[in-house]
Amino acid sequence: MPPAAQTRPRVLSGIQPDFSLHIGNYLGALRNWARDQDEFENYFCIVDLHALTVLPDPAKLRANVLELAALYVACGLDPARCEIFVQSHVPAHAELAWIVECLTPMGWLERMTQFKARSQAQGRERISTGVFVYPDLMAADILLYDADYVPVGEDQRQHIELTRDVAQRLNSLHGDVVKVPQPLIRDVGARVMGLDAPLEKMSKSIAIERPGHAVLLLDPPDVIRRKVARAQTDTEPAVRDPVGPGVANLLDMYAALRGLDSRAALAAFEGKPYSALKSAVTDAMVDALQPIQAKYADLRSDDAALQRLLAESAERVSAVAGATLRRVQVAMGLR
Ligand code: TRP
């Protein structure tokens, strides 16, 4: 790395290779990561250990990791400027997670919204302890790289708070051991809602059960058109201020894709029928996704090269993670 690079703040973020990515993941996460990559030292992880909390089929998990790696690059993350690596390739993640668990009172984890939602849906007796300690593994991901910022969606804020609490606890017990990270939450595109249920955040897992919920990054144009055409609007025949949540979501996506603010998007469609808005949203999505899909296809034509990229990055980041783990181990009395 050139010396100037060392003065840039470091970001770390990650996505679970559990289900296919959708337009919300692009607008809310990947596109921002790619846009900002010159401002930061970039660490982007494929968090396969986290994906185990949904117990994916092993072949599917393996396939999803490569798909996600290719999508990271296809969405604009430049492997020359970003570390792109798989969590389980760096054993320090699991090792630090154990130490973090020993620093985390159960009460903190019991308060996590994601844990509460899954215990409610599936029952505390049935969900794994992995779901419970999930935020501790995420804290380990972040702390290992001394990340300054963690770009995430609003739904992850609580996990970053927990990471900060653990980091502060460790530092107050044993001196300055780890860096206390900050969340980096963007409002543009931060909350893309479900096409079929605009009060629900667009979700990868819901899209499995209800395909009309989300446009996937690898959907062909005709599928995009069909999904957007069926998106929920309201009973008005045309776009009128104030718009309902479904129309607001379409306008927000249009604005984000075309680089407008929401007011300008509303002004562009005020009084026009929903079909006009939907066809403009479709075109904007196709325009954004076509180059991504072309690049993706190109990358997937050489999976060996993709695997090599992941392996090389894992090797480089292991040095950083190993140094932090060592520091924590010494502070805890393990070394
Ligand atoms: N929990 C995050 C999510 O569901 C994924 C994640 C795992 C992550 N480890 C991370 C995000 C570290 C940022 C930093 O979106």
Side-chain angles (χ1 to χ4, degrees), residues 12-16 18 25 33 43 45-47 50 87 93 114 134-135 137-142 149-153 155-156 159-160 163 201 204:
L12 178 135
S13 198
I15 298 180
Q16 249 174 249
D18 48 6
N25 300 123
W33 302 354
Y43 286 73
C45 191
I46 293 169
V47 291
H50 280 110
Q87 187 185 34
H93 288 252
Q114 223 161 283
Y134 178 111
L137 177 59
M138 178 163 164
D141 299 339
I142 297 164
Y149 297 106
V150 188
V152 284
D155 62 319
Q156 295 295 314
H159 289 159
I160 312 299
T163 303
K201 188 178 174 188
K204 288 185 280 175

Side-chain angles (χ1 to χ4, degrees), residues 35-82:
R35 187 197 51 217
D36 298 338
Q37 61 194 321
D38 281 329
E39 272 177 58
F40 298 113
E41 253 190 80
N42 306 284
Y43 286 73
F44 296 114
C45 191
I46 293 169
V47 291
D48 58 346
L49 296 172
H50 280 110
L52 285 187
T53 56
V54 302
L55 281 187
D57 171 71
K60 187 86 181 108
L61 178 57
R62 229 169 262 128
N64 286 348
V65 167
L66 272 190
E67 177 177 313
L68 189 50
L71 278 174
Y72 274 13
V73 179
C75 287
L77 298 184
D78 173 6
R81 286 177 288 164
C82 302

Side-chain angles (χ1 to χ4, degrees), residues 161-308:
E161 284 305 320
L162 182 127
T163 303
R164 291 170 54 84
D165 289 344
V166 167
Q168 276 155 356
R169 180 147 198 231
L170 179 54
N171 289 345
S172 75
L173 286 171
H174 303 302
D176 273 345
V177 187
V178 288
K179 177 164 255 165
V180 182
Q182 281 179 264
L184 186 63
I185 295 170
R186 312 271 186 198
D187 16 301
V188 182
R191 251 182 111 66
V192 174
M193 312 306 281
L195 296 176
D196 63 343
L199 298 177
E200 264 172 21
K201 188 178 174 188
M202 191 177 276
S203 138
K204 288 185 280 175
S205 60
I206 295 175
I208 301 290
E209 290 146 43
R210 303 181 341 230
H213 178 76
V215 165
L216 305 180
L217 296 191
L218 298 176
D219 276 344
D222 59 312
V223 173
I224 298 176
R225 189 162 302 282
R226 202 166 58 237
K227 286 178 174 177
V228 175
R230 290 187 191 150
Q232 190 181 308
T233 48
D234 49 47
T235 50
E236 294 280 313
V239 179
R240 297 241 182 278
D241 197 12
V243 298
V247 178
N249 190 39
L250 291 169
L251 286 170
D252 284 348
M253 286 189 285
Y254 181 79
L257 288 162
R258 292 291 190 218
L260 306 169
D261 65 42
S262 312
R263 261 179 323 111
L266 175 59
F269 292 99
E270 180 99 61
K272 297 209 175 129
Y274 290 145
S275 57
L277 172 59
K278 286 178 165 179
S279 113
V281 169
T282 302
D283 292 344
M285 285 185 182
V286 171
D287 287 350
L289 295 183
Q290 246 161 10
I292 291 173
Q293 294 178 0
K295 181 127 194 245
Y296 176 84
D298 188 40
L299 289 158
R300 292 311 306 269
S301 70
D302 189 356
D303 282 351
L306 214 54
Q307 307 262 30
R308 227 176 302 122

Side-chain angles (χ1 to χ4, degrees), residues 142-158:
I142 297 164
L143 299 178
L144 274 178
Y145 300 96
D146 292 322
D148 296 284
Y149 297 106
V150 188
V152 284
E154 188 56 49
D155 62 319
Q156 295 295 314
R157 187 189 287 279
Q158 202 184 25

